[in-house]
Amino acid sequence: MSASYAYLGPEGTFTEVALRTLPESATRELVPMVSVPAALDAVRSGEAEAAFVPIENSVEGGITTTLDELVAGEPLMIYREVLLSITFALLVRPGTALSDIKTVTAHPAAQPQVRNWMKTHLPEGVVWESSASNADGARLVQEGRYDAAFAGEFAAARYGLEALETNIHDAENAQTRFVLVGRPARPAAPTGSDKTSVVVWQRDDHPGTLRDLLGEFAVRGVNLMLLQSRPTGEGIGNYCFAIDAEGHISDRRVAETLMGLRRSCLKVRYLGSYPKAEARTEDIRPLPPGTSDAEFVAAADWVARCQDGRF
Protein backbone atom coordinates (compact mmCIF):
# COMPACT_ATOMS: atom_id res chain seq x y z
CA MET A 1 0.00 0.00 0.00
CA SER A 2 1.30 3.45 -0.88
CA ALA A 3 2.64 5.53 2.03
CA SER A 4 0.47 8.44 0.97
CA TYR A 5 -2.48 10.40 2.25
CA ALA A 6 -5.15 11.41 -0.26
CA TYR A 7 -7.09 14.59 0.48
CA LEU A 8 -9.74 16.84 -1.03
CA GLY A 9 -7.77 18.98 -3.47
CA PRO A 10 -6.47 20.72 -5.36
CA GLU A 11 -3.53 22.25 -3.48
CA GLY A 12 -4.52 25.18 -1.32
CA THR A 13 -7.70 23.82 0.28
CA PHE A 14 -8.60 24.16 3.94
CA THR A 15 -8.40 20.35 3.94
CA GLU A 16 -4.70 20.50 3.05
CA VAL A 17 -4.03 23.08 5.77
CA ALA A 18 -5.79 20.91 8.38
CA LEU A 19 -3.98 17.77 7.16
CA ARG A 20 -0.59 19.41 7.59
CA THR A 21 -1.33 19.91 11.30
CA LEU A 22 -0.97 16.13 11.76
CA PRO A 23 2.66 15.29 12.65
CA GLU A 24 2.58 12.14 10.53
CA SER A 25 1.75 14.16 7.41
CA ALA A 26 5.41 15.19 7.23
CA THR A 27 6.38 11.58 6.50
CA ARG A 28 3.68 10.88 3.88
CA GLU A 29 3.20 11.88 0.28
CA LEU A 30 0.14 14.16 0.22
CA VAL A 31 -1.94 13.54 -2.89
CA PRO A 32 -4.75 15.98 -3.84
CA MET A 33 -7.90 14.37 -5.25
CA VAL A 34 -10.74 15.90 -7.23
CA SER A 35 -13.47 14.92 -4.75
CA VAL A 36 -14.21 13.29 -1.41
CA PRO A 37 -15.37 10.04 -3.11
CA ALA A 38 -12.13 9.93 -5.10
CA ALA A 39 -10.05 10.35 -1.93
CA LEU A 40 -11.92 7.57 -0.11
CA ASP A 41 -11.84 5.27 -3.13
CA ALA A 42 -8.05 5.67 -3.23
CA VAL A 43 -7.98 4.06 0.23
CA ARG A 44 -10.37 1.29 -0.74
CA SER A 45 -8.25 0.43 -3.79
CA GLY A 46 -4.97 0.51 -1.87
CA GLU A 47 -3.62 3.51 -3.79
CA ALA A 48 -3.43 5.50 -0.54
CA GLU A 49 -2.82 4.57 3.07
CA ALA A 50 -5.48 6.99 4.31
CA ALA A 51 -7.73 9.82 3.17
CA PHE A 52 -8.27 13.16 4.89
CA VAL A 53 -11.68 14.72 4.25
CA PRO A 54 -14.12 17.23 5.79
CA ILE A 55 -17.06 15.67 7.64
CA GLU A 56 -18.80 18.44 9.61
CA ASN A 57 -18.87 22.20 10.02
CA SER A 58 -20.28 24.31 12.79
CA VAL A 59 -22.57 26.31 10.48
CA GLU A 60 -24.20 23.68 8.24
CA GLY A 61 -23.63 20.47 10.22
CA GLY A 62 -22.57 17.22 8.56
CA ILE A 63 -20.89 17.17 5.15
CA THR A 64 -23.35 14.89 3.40
CA THR A 65 -20.98 13.76 0.65
CA THR A 66 -18.54 12.38 3.21
CA LEU A 67 -21.23 10.84 5.40
CA ASP A 68 -22.87 9.11 2.45
CA GLU A 69 -19.53 7.72 1.24
CA LEU A 70 -18.83 6.27 4.69
CA VAL A 71 -22.33 4.79 4.87
CA ALA A 72 -22.07 3.01 1.50
CA GLY A 73 -19.43 0.89 -0.17
CA GLU A 74 -16.58 -1.09 1.33
CA PRO A 75 -16.24 -0.26 5.05
CA LEU A 76 -13.68 2.31 6.20
CA MET A 77 -12.68 3.55 9.66
CA ILE A 78 -11.95 6.95 11.20
CA TYR A 79 -8.63 7.14 13.08
CA ARG A 80 -8.11 10.84 13.79
CA GLU A 81 -10.00 14.11 13.68
CA VAL A 82 -8.88 17.72 13.34
CA LEU A 83 -10.78 20.95 13.99
CA LEU A 84 -9.83 24.02 11.93
CA SER A 85 -11.14 27.56 12.42
CA ILE A 86 -12.43 28.87 9.11
CA THR A 87 -12.37 32.39 7.72
CA PHE A 88 -12.49 33.22 4.03
CA ALA A 89 -10.77 35.67 1.73
CA LEU A 90 -12.24 37.00 -1.51
CA LEU A 91 -9.67 36.10 -4.14
CA VAL A 92 -9.56 37.92 -7.47
CA ARG A 93 -7.24 38.42 -10.41
CA PRO A 94 -4.92 41.42 -9.93
CA GLY A 95 -6.63 44.71 -10.73
CA THR A 96 -10.18 43.51 -10.02
CA ALA A 97 -12.36 45.82 -7.89
CA LEU A 98 -15.43 44.88 -5.88
CA SER A 99 -17.61 46.68 -8.42
CA ASP A 100 -16.21 44.48 -11.21
CA ILE A 101 -17.43 41.23 -9.64
CA LYS A 102 -20.39 39.63 -11.41
CA THR A 103 -19.69 35.95 -10.72
CA VAL A 104 -18.31 34.24 -7.63
CA THR A 105 -17.57 30.62 -6.72
CA ALA A 106 -16.59 28.35 -3.82
CA HIS A 107 -17.40 24.94 -2.36
CA PRO A 108 -21.14 24.60 -1.57
CA ALA A 109 -20.38 24.39 2.17
CA ALA A 110 -18.86 27.88 2.02
CA GLN A 111 -22.02 29.63 0.84
CA PRO A 112 -23.91 29.57 4.17
CA GLN A 113 -20.79 30.95 5.86
CA VAL A 114 -20.50 34.03 3.58
CA ARG A 115 -24.07 34.60 2.37
CA ASN A 116 -24.76 37.69 4.49
CA TRP A 117 -21.35 39.18 3.72
CA MET A 118 -22.09 38.84 0.00
CA LYS A 119 -25.41 40.68 0.35
CA THR A 120 -23.73 43.54 2.16
CA HIS A 121 -20.48 43.95 0.21
CA LEU A 122 -20.88 42.63 -3.34
CA PRO A 123 -22.80 44.28 -6.20
CA GLU A 124 -26.46 43.41 -6.53
CA GLY A 125 -27.13 40.50 -8.86
CA VAL A 126 -23.83 38.68 -8.33
CA VAL A 127 -24.18 35.08 -9.51
CA TRP A 128 -22.94 32.25 -7.27
CA GLU A 129 -21.84 28.94 -8.77
CA SER A 130 -20.43 26.05 -6.75
CA SER A 131 -17.02 24.48 -7.35
CA ALA A 132 -15.54 21.15 -6.29
CA SER A 133 -13.53 22.85 -3.52
CA ASN A 134 -12.60 26.35 -2.45
CA ALA A 135 -9.13 25.97 -3.94
CA ASP A 136 -10.63 24.70 -7.19
CA GLY A 137 -12.73 27.85 -7.23
CA ALA A 138 -9.51 29.88 -6.95
CA ARG A 139 -8.08 27.94 -9.89
CA LEU A 140 -11.19 28.72 -11.95
CA VAL A 141 -10.79 32.43 -11.17
CA GLN A 142 -7.17 32.21 -12.31
CA GLU A 143 -8.40 30.70 -15.59
CA GLY A 144 -10.94 33.51 -16.04
CA ARG A 145 -14.05 31.37 -15.52
CA TYR A 146 -15.24 33.49 -12.58
CA ASP A 147 -14.50 36.95 -11.25
CA ALA A 148 -13.89 35.96 -7.62
CA ALA A 149 -13.68 32.99 -5.28
CA PHE A 150 -14.11 32.53 -1.55
CA ALA A 151 -11.13 30.53 -0.32
CA GLY A 152 -8.38 30.57 2.25
CA GLU A 153 -6.10 33.60 1.99
CA PHE A 154 -3.17 31.16 1.75
CA ALA A 155 -4.47 30.01 -1.68
CA ALA A 156 -3.90 33.45 -3.29
CA ALA A 157 -0.18 33.01 -3.95
CA ARG A 158 -0.67 29.45 -5.21
CA TYR A 159 -3.03 30.65 -7.97
CA GLY A 160 -1.58 34.07 -8.74
CA LEU A 161 -4.52 35.93 -7.22
CA GLU A 162 -4.99 38.80 -4.78
CA ALA A 163 -6.99 38.79 -1.55
CA LEU A 164 -9.37 41.68 -2.14
CA GLU A 165 -11.03 41.17 1.27
CA THR A 166 -9.99 38.97 4.20
CA ASN A 167 -11.42 37.66 7.48
CA ILE A 168 -14.82 37.01 5.88
CA HIS A 169 -17.35 35.00 7.88
CA ASP A 170 -21.00 35.28 8.86
CA ALA A 171 -20.58 33.22 12.04
CA GLU A 172 -17.95 33.91 14.67
CA ASN A 173 -15.67 31.01 15.59
CA ALA A 174 -16.79 28.88 12.63
CA GLN A 175 -14.96 25.57 12.49
CA THR A 176 -14.78 22.60 10.15
CA ARG A 177 -14.08 19.10 11.37
CA PHE A 178 -11.87 16.83 9.27
CA VAL A 179 -11.22 13.10 9.67
CA LEU A 180 -8.39 10.75 8.72
CA VAL A 181 -9.94 7.61 7.25
CA GLY A 182 -8.27 4.27 6.57
CA ARG A 183 -9.07 0.63 6.03
CA PRO A 184 -10.56 -1.25 9.02
CA ALA A 185 -8.06 -2.29 11.70
CA ARG A 186 -7.69 -2.18 15.47
CA PRO A 187 -8.78 1.23 16.83
CA ALA A 188 -6.25 3.54 18.45
CA ALA A 189 -5.76 3.00 22.18
CA PRO A 190 -8.21 4.91 24.40
CA THR A 191 -7.07 8.27 25.73
CA GLY A 192 -9.84 8.95 28.25
CA SER A 193 -11.33 11.60 25.94
CA ASP A 194 -12.48 9.76 22.86
CA LYS A 195 -15.28 9.61 20.33
CA THR A 196 -16.97 6.60 18.73
CA SER A 197 -18.79 6.84 15.39
CA VAL A 198 -21.38 4.44 14.01
CA VAL A 199 -24.13 4.28 11.40
CA VAL A 200 -27.33 2.41 12.29
CA TRP A 201 -30.24 1.18 10.21
CA GLN A 202 -33.61 0.71 11.91
CA ARG A 203 -35.24 -2.71 11.65
CA ASP A 204 -38.65 -1.22 10.90
CA ASP A 205 -40.62 2.01 11.20
CA HIS A 206 -42.94 2.21 14.20
CA PRO A 207 -43.82 4.82 16.85
CA GLY A 208 -40.90 5.26 19.24
CA THR A 209 -38.26 3.69 16.96
CA LEU A 210 -35.85 6.60 17.33
CA ARG A 211 -36.55 6.82 21.07
CA ASP A 212 -35.66 3.13 21.42
CA LEU A 213 -32.44 3.64 19.47
CA LEU A 214 -31.41 6.62 21.59
CA GLY A 215 -32.37 4.74 24.73
CA GLU A 216 -29.50 2.30 24.11
CA PHE A 217 -27.14 5.24 24.72
CA ALA A 218 -29.12 6.93 27.48
CA VAL A 219 -29.49 3.94 29.82
CA ARG A 220 -25.73 3.39 29.75
CA GLY A 221 -24.79 7.04 30.28
CA VAL A 222 -23.26 7.52 26.83
CA ASN A 223 -23.45 11.13 25.62
CA LEU A 224 -24.28 11.82 21.96
CA MET A 225 -22.27 14.43 20.06
CA LEU A 226 -23.84 14.08 16.60
CA LEU A 227 -27.07 12.56 15.30
CA GLN A 228 -27.83 12.99 11.62
CA SER A 229 -30.31 11.13 9.44
CA ARG A 230 -29.36 10.16 5.88
CA PRO A 231 -31.63 8.59 3.24
CA THR A 232 -30.83 4.97 2.44
CA GLY A 233 -31.81 5.33 -1.22
CA GLU A 234 -34.51 2.70 -0.78
CA GLY A 235 -37.51 5.03 -0.98
CA ILE A 236 -39.04 8.02 0.78
CA GLY A 237 -39.03 7.63 4.56
CA ASN A 238 -36.14 5.14 4.70
CA TYR A 239 -33.27 6.57 6.71
CA CYS A 240 -30.14 5.51 8.52
CA PHE A 241 -28.53 7.52 11.31
CA ALA A 242 -24.93 8.68 11.59
CA ILE A 243 -24.01 8.96 15.28
CA ASP A 244 -21.00 10.27 17.18
CA ALA A 245 -20.89 9.36 20.87
CA GLU A 246 -18.47 10.11 23.68
CA GLY A 247 -16.25 7.24 24.70
CA HIS A 248 -14.17 4.42 23.22
CA ILE A 249 -15.26 0.95 22.13
CA SER A 250 -13.03 -0.47 24.87
CA ASP A 251 -15.17 1.33 27.49
CA ARG A 252 -17.73 -1.14 28.86
CA ARG A 253 -20.59 1.35 28.60
CA VAL A 254 -19.83 2.00 24.93
CA ALA A 255 -19.26 -1.68 24.09
CA GLU A 256 -22.58 -2.64 25.69
CA THR A 257 -24.32 0.18 23.82
CA LEU A 258 -22.97 -1.17 20.53
CA MET A 259 -24.12 -4.67 21.48
CA GLY A 260 -27.59 -3.30 22.23
CA LEU A 261 -27.69 -1.57 18.85
CA ARG A 262 -26.50 -4.72 17.10
CA ARG A 263 -29.30 -6.74 18.73
CA SER A 264 -32.09 -4.25 18.06
CA CYS A 265 -31.17 -2.65 14.72
CA LEU A 266 -31.23 -4.07 11.22
CA LYS A 267 -27.59 -3.18 10.66
CA VAL A 268 -24.79 -1.30 12.43
CA ARG A 269 -21.63 -0.03 10.76
CA TYR A 270 -18.79 0.77 13.14
CA LEU A 271 -16.78 3.78 11.90
CA GLY A 272 -14.12 3.85 14.60
CA SER A 273 -13.08 5.09 18.05
CA TYR A 274 -10.52 7.89 18.10
CA PRO A 275 -9.27 10.81 20.22
CA LYS A 276 -11.42 13.94 20.32
CA ALA A 277 -9.72 16.81 18.52
CA GLU A 278 -10.87 19.26 21.19
CA ALA A 279 -9.95 17.03 24.12
CA ARG A 280 -8.78 18.90 27.20
CA THR A 281 -8.37 17.45 30.67
CA GLU A 282 -10.60 20.09 32.20
CA ASP A 283 -13.42 19.21 29.76
CA ILE A 284 -13.67 15.56 30.80
CA ARG A 285 -17.01 15.18 32.58
CA PRO A 286 -17.54 12.68 35.39
CA LEU A 287 -19.47 9.60 34.32
CA PRO A 288 -23.09 9.19 35.44
CA PRO A 289 -23.47 6.86 38.43
CA GLY A 290 -23.32 3.19 37.53
CA THR A 291 -21.59 3.61 34.13
CA SER A 292 -17.90 3.21 34.91
CA ASP A 293 -16.03 0.11 33.74
CA ALA A 294 -15.60 -1.00 37.35
CA GLU A 295 -19.34 -0.80 37.98
CA PHE A 296 -20.13 -2.77 34.81
CA VAL A 297 -17.63 -5.46 35.87
CA ALA A 298 -19.05 -5.58 39.39
CA ALA A 299 -22.59 -5.97 38.03
CA ALA A 300 -21.49 -8.79 35.71
CA ASP A 301 -19.73 -10.53 38.59
CA TRP A 302 -22.89 -10.27 40.70
CA VAL A 303 -24.97 -11.89 37.94
CA ALA A 304 -22.39 -14.70 37.69
CA ARG A 305 -22.59 -15.29 41.44
CA CYS A 306 -26.37 -15.38 41.27
CA GLN A 307 -26.17 -18.00 38.53
CA ASP A 308 -23.88 -20.05 40.79
CA GLY A 309 -26.14 -19.60 43.82
CA ARG A 310 -23.53 -17.48 45.59
CA PHE A 311 -25.44 -14.21 45.89
PDB file of all heavy atoms in Angstrom, residues 10 12 44 58 92 113 122 131 141 161 178-179 185 189 205 207 228 232 241 245 275 280 292 309:
ATOM      1  N   PRO A  10      -7.901  20.777  -5.087  1.00  0.00           N
ATOM      2  CA  PRO A  10      -6.467  20.720  -5.359  1.00  0.00           C
ATOM      3  C   PRO A  10      -5.654  21.350  -4.233  1.00  0.00           C
ATOM      4  O   PRO A  10      -6.190  21.617  -3.156  1.00  0.00           O
ATOM      5  CB  PRO A  10      -6.342  21.531  -6.651  1.00  0.00           C
ATOM      6  CG  PRO A  10      -7.457  22.537  -6.543  1.00  0.00           C
ATOM      7  CD  PRO A  10      -8.591  21.810  -5.867  1.00  0.00           C
ATOM      8  N   GLY A  12      -4.022  23.897  -1.794  1.00  0.00           N
ATOM      9  CA  GLY A  12      -4.523  25.183  -1.324  1.00  0.00           C
ATOM     10  C   GLY A  12      -5.891  25.130  -0.682  1.00  0.00           C
ATOM     11  O   GLY A  12      -6.496  26.178  -0.429  1.00  0.00           O
ATOM     12  N   ARG A  44      -9.751   2.589  -0.494  1.00  0.00           N
ATOM     13  CA  ARG A  44     -10.375   1.294  -0.742  1.00  0.00           C
ATOM     14  C   ARG A  44      -9.578   0.468  -1.755  1.00  0.00           C
ATOM     15  O   ARG A  44      -9.496  -0.750  -1.649  1.00  0.00           O
ATOM     16  CB  ARG A  44     -11.808   1.493  -1.219  1.00  0.00           C
ATOM     17  CG  ARG A  44     -12.760   2.031  -0.153  1.00  0.00           C
ATOM     18  CD  ARG A  44     -14.186   2.100  -0.657  1.00  0.00           C
ATOM     19  NE  ARG A  44     -15.128   2.386   0.411  1.00  0.00           N
ATOM     20  CZ  ARG A  44     -15.838   3.510   0.496  1.00  0.00           C
ATOM     21  NH1 ARG A  44     -15.712   4.457  -0.429  1.00  0.00           N
ATOM     22  NH2 ARG A  44     -16.677   3.700   1.503  1.00  0.00           N
ATOM     23  N   SER A  58     -19.467  23.779  11.693  1.00  0.00           N
ATOM     24  CA  SER A  58     -20.278  24.305  12.789  1.00  0.00           C
ATOM     25  C   SER A  58     -21.432  25.174  12.307  1.00  0.00           C
ATOM     26  O   SER A  58     -22.277  25.568  13.111  1.00  0.00           O
ATOM     27  CB  SER A  58     -19.401  25.109  13.754  1.00  0.00           C
ATOM     28  OG  SER A  58     -18.768  26.194  13.089  1.00  0.00           O
ATOM     29  N   VAL A  92      -9.273  37.399  -6.132  1.00  0.00           N
ATOM     30  CA  VAL A  92      -9.561  37.918  -7.471  1.00  0.00           C
ATOM     31  C   VAL A  92      -8.263  37.998  -8.276  1.00  0.00           C
ATOM     32  O   VAL A  92      -7.167  37.953  -7.716  1.00  0.00           O
ATOM     33  CB  VAL A  92     -10.208  39.320  -7.399  1.00  0.00           C
ATOM     34  CG1 VAL A  92     -11.537  39.278  -6.657  1.00  0.00           C
ATOM     35  CG2 VAL A  92      -9.252  40.321  -6.734  1.00  0.00           C
ATOM     36  N   GLN A 113     -21.704  30.261   4.957  1.00  0.00           N
ATOM     37  CA  GLN A 113     -20.787  30.949   5.862  1.00  0.00           C
ATOM     38  C   GLN A 113     -20.433  32.361   5.386  1.00  0.00           C
ATOM     39  O   GLN A 113     -19.820  33.131   6.127  1.00  0.00           O
ATOM     40  CB  GLN A 113     -19.509  30.123   6.020  1.00  0.00           C
ATOM     41  CG  GLN A 113     -19.783  28.726   6.545  1.00  0.00           C
ATOM     42  CD  GLN A 113     -18.527  27.896   6.684  1.00  0.00           C
ATOM     43  OE1 GLN A 113     -17.618  28.252   7.441  1.00  0.00           O
ATOM     44  NE2 GLN A 113     -18.460  26.797   5.960  1.00  0.00           N
ATOM     45  N   LEU A 122     -21.043  42.846  -1.904  1.00  0.00           N
ATOM     46  CA  LEU A 122     -20.884  42.627  -3.338  1.00  0.00           C
ATOM     47  C   LEU A 122     -22.011  43.297  -4.122  1.00  0.00           C
ATOM     48  O   LEU A 122     -23.108  43.518  -3.588  1.00  0.00           O
ATOM     49  CB  LEU A 122     -20.848  41.131  -3.649  1.00  0.00           C
ATOM     50  CG  LEU A 122     -19.637  40.368  -3.117  1.00  0.00           C
ATOM     51  CD1 LEU A 122     -19.661  38.924  -3.599  1.00  0.00           C
ATOM     52  CD2 LEU A 122     -18.327  41.041  -3.522  1.00  0.00           C
ATOM     53  N   SER A 131     -18.185  25.168  -6.794  1.00  0.00           N
ATOM     54  CA  SER A 131     -17.023  24.482  -7.348  1.00  0.00           C
ATOM     55  C   SER A 131     -16.719  23.260  -6.491  1.00  0.00           C
ATOM     56  O   SER A 131     -17.263  23.094  -5.397  1.00  0.00           O
ATOM     57  CB  SER A 131     -15.815  25.416  -7.398  1.00  0.00           C
ATOM     58  OG  SER A 131     -15.587  26.014  -6.139  1.00  0.00           O
ATOM     59  N   VAL A 141     -10.955  30.981 -11.059  1.00  0.00           N
ATOM     60  CA  VAL A 141     -10.788  32.433 -11.174  1.00  0.00           C
ATOM     61  C   VAL A 141      -9.505  32.739 -11.930  1.00  0.00           C
ATOM     62  O   VAL A 141      -9.460  33.607 -12.812  1.00  0.00           O
ATOM     63  CB  VAL A 141     -10.788  33.099  -9.782  1.00  0.00           C
ATOM     64  CG1 VAL A 141     -10.397  34.569  -9.884  1.00  0.00           C
ATOM     65  CG2 VAL A 141     -12.152  32.963  -9.133  1.00  0.00           C
ATOM     66  N   LEU A 161      -3.393  35.040  -7.462  1.00  0.00           N
ATOM     67  CA  LEU A 161      -4.518  35.933  -7.215  1.00  0.00           C
ATOM     68  C   LEU A 161      -4.193  36.907  -6.085  1.00  0.00           C
ATOM     69  O   LEU A 161      -3.178  36.783  -5.406  1.00  0.00           O
ATOM     70  CB  LEU A 161      -5.765  35.120  -6.858  1.00  0.00           C
ATOM     71  CG  LEU A 161      -6.199  34.067  -7.880  1.00  0.00           C
ATOM     72  CD1 LEU A 161      -7.388  33.278  -7.353  1.00  0.00           C
ATOM     73  CD2 LEU A 161      -6.527  34.706  -9.228  1.00  0.00           C
ATOM     74  N   PHE A 178     -12.429  17.715  10.286  1.00  0.00           N
ATOM     75  CA  PHE A 178     -11.873  16.826   9.269  1.00  0.00           C
ATOM     76  C   PHE A 178     -11.521  15.492   9.919  1.00  0.00           C
ATOM     77  O   PHE A 178     -11.207  15.444  11.121  1.00  0.00           O
ATOM     78  CB  PHE A 178     -10.615  17.429   8.647  1.00  0.00           C
ATOM     79  CG  PHE A 178     -10.831  18.770   8.002  1.00  0.00           C
ATOM     80  CD1 PHE A 178     -10.781  19.930   8.756  1.00  0.00           C
ATOM     81  CD2 PHE A 178     -11.078  18.873   6.647  1.00  0.00           C
ATOM     82  CE1 PHE A 178     -10.986  21.178   8.169  1.00  0.00           C
ATOM     83  CE2 PHE A 178     -11.281  20.108   6.043  1.00  0.00           C
ATOM     84  CZ  PHE A 178     -11.234  21.266   6.807  1.00  0.00           C
ATOM     85  N   VAL A 179     -11.550  14.409   9.128  1.00  0.00           N
ATOM     86  CA  VAL A 179     -11.218  13.096   9.667  1.00  0.00           C
ATOM     87  C   VAL A 179     -10.207  12.392   8.773  1.00  0.00           C
ATOM     88  O   VAL A 179     -10.209  12.557   7.545  1.00  0.00           O
ATOM     89  CB  VAL A 179     -12.469  12.211   9.840  1.00  0.00           C
ATOM     90  CG1 VAL A 179     -13.329  12.724  10.981  1.00  0.00           C
ATOM     91  CG2 VAL A 179     -13.281  12.117   8.557  1.00  0.00           C
ATOM     92  N   ALA A 185      -9.124  -1.665  10.911  1.00  0.00           N
ATOM     93  CA  ALA A 185      -8.058  -2.289  11.698  1.00  0.00           C
ATOM     94  C   ALA A 185      -8.379  -2.035  13.162  1.00  0.00           C
ATOM     95  O   ALA A 185      -9.434  -1.491  13.500  1.00  0.00           O
ATOM     96  CB  ALA A 185      -6.690  -1.729  11.325  1.00  0.00           C
ATOM     97  N   ALA A 189      -5.559   3.231  20.752  1.00  0.00           N
ATOM     98  CA  ALA A 189      -5.761   3.001  22.181  1.00  0.00           C
ATOM     99  C   ALA A 189      -6.585   4.142  22.782  1.00  0.00           C
ATOM    100  O   ALA A 189      -6.485   5.289  22.346  1.00  0.00           O
ATOM    101  CB  ALA A 189      -4.422   2.885  22.892  1.00  0.00           C
ATOM    102  N   ASP A 205     -40.141   0.669  10.849  1.00  0.00           N
ATOM    103  CA  ASP A 205     -40.615   2.012  11.197  1.00  0.00           C
ATOM    104  C   ASP A 205     -41.878   1.882  12.049  1.00  0.00           C
ATOM    105  O   ASP A 205     -42.909   1.414  11.578  1.00  0.00           O
ATOM    106  CB  ASP A 205     -40.912   2.802   9.917  1.00  0.00           C
ATOM    107  CG  ASP A 205     -41.290   4.242  10.216  1.00  0.00           C
ATOM    108  OD1 ASP A 205     -40.981   4.715  11.323  1.00  0.00           O
ATOM    109  OD2 ASP A 205     -41.903   4.891   9.344  1.00  0.00           O
ATOM    110  N   PRO A 207     -43.894   3.740  15.868  1.00  0.00           N
ATOM    111  CA  PRO A 207     -43.817   4.820  16.851  1.00  0.00           C
ATOM    112  C   PRO A 207     -42.790   4.494  17.942  1.00  0.00           C
ATOM    113  O   PRO A 207     -42.796   3.402  18.523  1.00  0.00           O
ATOM    114  CB  PRO A 207     -45.236   4.869  17.422  1.00  0.00           C
ATOM    115  CG  PRO A 207     -46.098   4.323  16.343  1.00  0.00           C
ATOM    116  CD  PRO A 207     -45.280   3.256  15.678  1.00  0.00           C
ATOM    117  N   GLN A 228     -27.385  12.462  12.903  1.00  0.00           N
ATOM    118  CA  GLN A 228     -27.835  12.985  11.621  1.00  0.00           C
ATOM    119  C   GLN A 228     -28.447  11.865  10.798  1.00  0.00           C
ATOM    120  O   GLN A 228     -27.847  10.796  10.632  1.00  0.00           O
ATOM    121  CB  GLN A 228     -26.669  13.616  10.847  1.00  0.00           C
ATOM    122  CG  GLN A 228     -27.095  14.191   9.499  1.00  0.00           C
ATOM    123  CD  GLN A 228     -26.153  15.245   8.986  1.00  0.00           C
ATOM    124  OE1 GLN A 228     -25.356  15.800   9.732  1.00  0.00           O
ATOM    125  NE2 GLN A 228     -26.227  15.537   7.703  1.00  0.00           N
ATOM    126  N   THR A 232     -31.497   6.219   2.831  1.00  0.00           N
ATOM    127  CA  THR A 232     -30.831   4.974   2.437  1.00  0.00           C
ATOM    128  C   THR A 232     -30.842   4.760   0.928  1.00  0.00           C
ATOM    129  O   THR A 232     -30.145   3.878   0.419  1.00  0.00           O
ATOM    130  CB  THR A 232     -31.506   3.771   3.099  1.00  0.00           C
ATOM    131  OG1 THR A 232     -32.857   3.670   2.623  1.00  0.00           O
ATOM    132  CG2 THR A 232     -31.497   3.903   4.614  1.00  0.00           C
ATOM    133  N   PHE A 241     -28.961   6.449  10.417  1.00  0.00           N
ATOM    134  CA  PHE A 241     -28.535   7.521  11.314  1.00  0.00           C
ATOM    135  C   PHE A 241     -27.034   7.442  11.556  1.00  0.00           C
ATOM    136  O   PHE A 241     -26.519   6.403  11.971  1.00  0.00           O
ATOM    137  CB  PHE A 241     -29.279   7.434  12.650  1.00  0.00           C
ATOM    138  CG  PHE A 241     -30.753   7.676  12.532  1.00  0.00           C
ATOM    139  CD1 PHE A 241     -31.621   6.615  12.308  1.00  0.00           C
ATOM    140  CD2 PHE A 241     -31.269   8.956  12.602  1.00  0.00           C
ATOM    141  CE1 PHE A 241     -32.979   6.823  12.184  1.00  0.00           C
ATOM    142  CE2 PHE A 241     -32.629   9.178  12.477  1.00  0.00           C
ATOM    143  CZ  PHE A 241     -33.493   8.110  12.264  1.00  0.00           C
ATOM    144  N   ALA A 245     -20.640   9.446  19.440  1.00  0.00           N
ATOM    145  CA  ALA A 245     -20.887   9.358  20.871  1.00  0.00           C
ATOM    146  C   ALA A 245     -19.574   9.488  21.626  1.00  0.00           C
ATOM    147  O   ALA A 245     -18.509   9.109  21.122  1.00  0.00           O
ATOM    148  CB  ALA A 245     -21.553   8.025  21.216  1.00  0.00           C
ATOM    149  N   PRO A 275      -9.344   9.697  19.275  1.00  0.00           N
ATOM    150  CA  PRO A 275      -9.271  10.815  20.220  1.00  0.00           C
ATOM    151  C   PRO A 275     -10.072  12.021  19.741  1.00  0.00           C
ATOM    152  O   PRO A 275     -10.088  12.334  18.544  1.00  0.00           O
ATOM    153  CB  PRO A 275      -7.771  11.150  20.265  1.00  0.00           C
ATOM    154  CG  PRO A 275      -7.080   9.959  19.699  1.00  0.00           C
ATOM    155  CD  PRO A 275      -8.032   9.339  18.724  1.00  0.00           C
ATOM    156  N   ARG A 280      -9.562  18.222  26.168  1.00  0.00           N
ATOM    157  CA  ARG A 280      -8.776  18.899  27.200  1.00  0.00           C
ATOM    158  C   ARG A 280      -9.134  18.264  28.537  1.00  0.00           C
ATOM    159  O   ARG A 280     -10.283  17.914  28.779  1.00  0.00           O
ATOM    160  CB  ARG A 280      -9.095  20.399  27.248  1.00  0.00           C
ATOM    161  CG  ARG A 280      -8.750  21.153  25.969  1.00  0.00           C
ATOM    162  CD  ARG A 280      -9.033  22.634  26.113  1.00  0.00           C
ATOM    163  NE  ARG A 280     -10.443  22.863  26.457  1.00  0.00           N
ATOM    164  CZ  ARG A 280     -10.941  24.069  26.753  1.00  0.00           C
ATOM    165  NH1 ARG A 280     -10.156  25.129  26.787  1.00  0.00           N
ATOM    166  NH2 ARG A 280     -12.219  24.206  27.049  1.00  0.00           N
ATOM    167  N   SER A 292     -19.342   3.413  35.046  1.00  0.00           N
ATOM    168  CA  SER A 292     -17.896   3.208  34.913  1.00  0.00           C
ATOM    169  C   SER A 292     -17.601   1.754  34.582  1.00  0.00           C
ATOM    170  O   SER A 292     -18.433   0.858  34.815  1.00  0.00           O
ATOM    171  CB  SER A 292     -17.178   3.589  36.205  1.00  0.00           C
ATOM    172  OG  SER A 292     -17.480   2.656  37.231  1.00  0.00           O
ATOM    173  N   GLY A 309     -25.530 -19.495  42.508  1.00  0.00           N
ATOM    174  CA  GLY A 309     -26.139 -19.596  43.817  1.00  0.00           C
ATOM    175  C   GLY A 309     -25.299 -19.026  44.921  1.00  0.00           C
ATOM    176  O   GLY A 309     -25.405 -19.452  46.085  1.00  0.00           O
TER     177      GLY A 309
END
